[in-house]
Amino acid sequence: GTHKVVLNKFPLMRNHVVVHTLDFVPQSGHMSLEDMQATWHCTRELEGIAFFNSGEDSGASQPRRHMQVIPIDSIERKHGANQPFPPVPVERLIHKFRQARDWKYE
């Protein structure tokens, strides 16, 4: 295998896991095919949602390549099954993209 799944040391929700590479790969850059496959397998098995923070500016706290998966039932337990997902502050991300040196808005 190329990846390992462990419980997140600082979970956002119950059963929040980290899918990390066995060999050191920097957290910056794009996910590889193997990263996608390992994350997809874990997401399917846990019936969850996955996310990947690529680099320090995205909130990545570890230099090693890792993706995170949170089971949907953990989110439902915390926020209620009939409640919408909590809002995501995307405005801040858009602002950061526009400020990036290589951003080309056309």
Side-chain angles (χ1 to χ4, degrees):
T2 58
H3 292 74
K4 183 176 183 177
V5 177
V6 295
L7 285 171
N8 192 317
K9 191 174 180 179
F10 304 103
L12 296 175
M13 314 243 172
R14 186 174 164 198
N15 298 321
H16 179 176
V17 299
V18 172
V19 181
H20 70 81
T21 56
L22 294 176
D23 295 328
F24 181 83
V25 176
Q27 184 68 6
S28 58
H30 298 287
M31 292 173 67
S32 69
L33 177 60
E34 291 82 10
D35 293 335
M36 293 292 288
Q37 289 171 331
T39 304
W40 175 245
H41 178 75
C42 187
T43 302
R44 260 194 2 234
E45 290 297 314
L46 293 177
E47 296 181 6
I49 59 170
F51 59 97
F52 172 63
N53 297 326
S54 180
E56 196 174 301
D57 289 339
S58 70
S61 58
Q62 297 294 319
R64 179 190 206 102
R65 175 66 50 93
H66 65 284
M67 292 64 64
Q68 300 181 57
V69 179
I70 300 174
I72 295 291
D73 68 343
S74 293
I75 297 169
E76 290 175 345
R77 228 179 271 116
K78 183 170 182 172
H79 296 283
N82 296 322
Q83 299 298 316
F85 279 66
V88 178
V90 296
E91 294 82 15
R92 183 174 166 204
L93 295 174
I94 292 169
H95 180 72
K96 279 190 171 268
F97 281 131
R98 288 187 176 150
Q99 289 183 334
R101 281 179 264 148
D102 59 349
W103 176 260
K104 294 187 176 37
Y105 183 74
E106 297 174 14

